[in-house]
């Protein structure tokens, strides 16, 4: 095992080279780092001709970068951009430990590593105070391993006196070291006793502080409990007050609703009162209108009764006219038979028969619209009797003319009678409708 002087930190570099296009790796072993605590490693690289240095933090692949005496330690650093040549490289593992690394392995592309690589290079790293941004000079010195000396001839074995002298010197040196260790032990024992006394005093002070803290905490806890109780009491009183307020608000809302209902009822009563007053003022006018309507109703009833009587009279007249029509039809048939019977006879005026026909026509018409025919003596005598072939047609023309006159008289009589009845009924109905609307 490598012997490291007390207070000295040494890093034995195994490898510092490119492991990829954009990755640098530092691999080695640390000595003299017992009690040290490493942080995230950083690598500061200086490019020739560039005043500023570029600093890269280690990737997290090897976190937490444990450091043990003489064991393998690895840190990898990323690199972005081009791959220039560097002038200086510094590895920093804590604010007080930094190592300047050699640049022989930074050729690009990275060379293929052969088995059984070169000898390791121990690098001494001294402790230092934390640096600022203005002071970035490396504080470690590279101690290159001395090249292996050429093989020399084997020296002769030492004599017995030389061995005794060397053993005596080694014995004296060990005694001195033992005395120094005894003194160091006494010194450490005194420091240990003082540390124990300080520890006991600190423990006592801590116990007293804990007791004071517990007593203060108990008092504070009691105060907090009392304050919580007061808050709870206030909360209960506040809840009761809120409940009472809500009840009062509900009661006020209910009272307001009842008041609104009462006000609406009063307004309805006032409107009904005004309507009753208006109705009382209109009562005489309504009474007069009622009496007028009663009179109009009685007049309408009388008019209806009169119309019923006129209707009955018109029905009787219609029946009579129907009977007269039937009588005239029978007379026409008899006259037709008589004319057919006399068709063979020569036409000769007969005053008695003409008078009878005139009376029948007047009876059928109901009134005498035409003057009676002159007596038979006043009728002109024909010069010669008509031919036997013309006499039937002349008689038929006269009979048809007489029947046409009788029909015209009947139509005029019935039309005048029914028009009078309809006009009276229409006037009475209009008066009834007007009275009902009023």
């Amino acid at each position: 095992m490598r012997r490291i002087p007390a207070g000295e930190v040494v890093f034995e570099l195994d490898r510092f080279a490119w492991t990829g296009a954009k990755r640098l790796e530092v691999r080695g072993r640390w000595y003299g780092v017992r009690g040290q605590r490493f942080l995230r490693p950083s690598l500061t690289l200086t490019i020739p001709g560039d005043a500023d240095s570029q600093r890269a933090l280690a990737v997290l692949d090897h976190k937490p970068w444990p450091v043990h005496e003489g064991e393998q330690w690895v840190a990898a650093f990323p690199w972005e951009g081009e791959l220039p040549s560097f002038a200086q490289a510094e590895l920093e593992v804590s604010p007080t430990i930094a190592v300047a690394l050699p640049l022989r392995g930074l050729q690009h592309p990275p060379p293929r590593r052969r088995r059984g690589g070169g000898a390791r290079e121990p690098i001494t790293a001294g402790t230092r105070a934390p640096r600022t941004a203005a002071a970035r000079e490396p504080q470690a010195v590279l101690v290159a391993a001395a090249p292996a000396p050429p093989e020399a001839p084997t020296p002769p074995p030492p004599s017995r006196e030389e061995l005794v002298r060397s053993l005596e010197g080694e014995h004296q040196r060990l005694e001195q070291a033992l005395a120094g260790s005894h003194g160091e032990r006494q010194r450490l024992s005194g420091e240990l006793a003082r540390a124990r006394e300080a520890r006991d005093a600190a423990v006592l002070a801590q116990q007293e502080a804990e007791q004071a803290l517990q007593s203060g905490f108990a008092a504070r806890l009691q105060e907090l409990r009392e304050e919580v109780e007061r808050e709870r009491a206030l909360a209960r009183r506040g809840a009761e007050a809120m409940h009472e307020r809500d009840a009062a608000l509900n009661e006020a809302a209910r009272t307001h609703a009842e008041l609104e209902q009462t006000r609406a009822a009063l307004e309805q009563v006032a409107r009904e009162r005004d309507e009753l007053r208006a109705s009382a003022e209109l009562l005489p006018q309504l009474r007069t209108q009622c009496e007028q309507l009663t009179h109009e109703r009685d007049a309408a009833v009388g008019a209806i009764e009169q119309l019923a009587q006129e209707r009955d009279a018109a029905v009787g007249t219609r029946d009579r006219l129907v009977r007269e029509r039937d009588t005239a039809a029978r007379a026409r048939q008899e006259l037709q038979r008589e004319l057919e019977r006399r068709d063979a006879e020569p036409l000769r005026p007969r005053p008695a028969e003409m008078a009878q026909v005139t009376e029948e026509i007047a009876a059928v018409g109901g009134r005498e619209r035409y003057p009676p025919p002159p007596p038979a003596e006043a009728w002109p005598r024909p010069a010669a009797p008509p031919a036997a072939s013309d006499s039937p047609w002349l008689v038929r023309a006269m009979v048809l003319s007489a029947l046409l006159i009788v029909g015209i008289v009947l139509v005029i009589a019935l039309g005048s009678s029914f028009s009078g009845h309809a006009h009276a009924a229409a006037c009475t109905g209009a008066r009834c409708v007007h009275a009902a609307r009023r």
Side-chain angles (χ1 to χ4, degrees), residues 164-175:
V164 170
R165 285 196 298 269
S166 62
L167 289 176
E168 288 178 354
E170 185 68 19
H171 178 70
Q172 292 177 358
R173 187 178 64 80
L174 290 177
E175 286 182 353

Side-chain angles (χ1 to χ4, degrees), residues 7-238:
E8 185 177 353
V9 177
V10 175
F11 178 64
E12 187 177 77
L13 180 64
D14 292 340
R15 183 185 182 190
F16 175 43
W18 297 99
T19 58
K22 296 182 179 182
R23 186 180 178 107
L24 279 169
E25 183 178 285
V26 178
R27 187 183 297 270
R29 291 174 173 80
W30 291 93
Y31 298 96
V33 292
R34 184 172 297 174
Q36 300 289 339
R37 183 173 178 270
F38 283 11
L39 302 179
R40 185 176 182 179
S42 64
L43 182 64
T44 303
L45 299 172
T46 303
I47 300 174
D50 192 353
D52 296 330
S53 300
Q54 298 189 17
R55 185 169 179 263
L57 292 176
V59 297
L60 303 179
D61 297 349
H62 309 96
K63 184 180 179 180
W65 303 278
V67 55
H68 300 287
E69 190 79 14
E71 295 185 3
Q72 187 73 33
W73 183 87
V74 181
F77 302 89
W79 178 263
E80 297 293 337
E82 299 179 355
L83 301 175
S85 59
F86 300 107
Q88 186 178 0
E90 179 187 1
L91 174 65
E92 184 176 353
V93 294
S94 73
T96 59
I97 298 176
V99 177
L101 300 177
L103 303 176
R104 290 192 302 272
L106 298 185
Q107 299 143 1
H108 189 76
R112 183 181 299 273
R113 186 174 181 181
R114 299 179 181 177
R115 292 185 178 179
R120 298 174 180 175
E121 299 179 356
I123 305 172
T124 304
T127 58
R128 63 178 183 183
R131 295 180 300 165
T132 60
R136 302 299 298 175
E137 295 299 330
Q139 300 295 323
V141 179
L142 173 63
V143 180
E151 294 183 359
T154 304
S159 62
R160 183 176 180 179
E161 290 80 5
E162 292 177 353
L163 288 176
V164 170
R165 285 196 298 269
S166 62
L167 289 176
E168 288 178 354
E170 185 68 19
H171 178 70
Q172 292 177 358
R173 187 178 64 80
L174 290 177
E175 286 182 353
Q176 292 176 359
L178 181 60
S181 63
H182 281 300
E184 185 69 18
R185 178 182 176 183
Q186 292 178 358
R187 183 180 64 80
L188 292 177
S189 298
E191 292 180 357
L192 179 60
R194 290 192 296 272
R196 286 177 179 175
E197 293 177 356
R199 183 197 63 183
D200 296 339
V203 168
L204 182 60
Q206 183 179 3
Q207 291 177 356
E208 293 177 355
E210 288 178 356
Q211 292 178 358
L213 183 62
Q214 289 179 359
S215 61
F217 179 75
R220 180 58 180 168
L221 182 61
Q222 185 64 27
E223 293 177 359
L224 291 176
R225 287 177 179 174
E226 294 176 357
E227 186 175 356
V228 168
E229 291 296 331
R230 288 195 299 271
E231 293 292 337
R232 288 179 179 175
L234 290 175
R236 286 193 296 270
R237 288 197 294 270

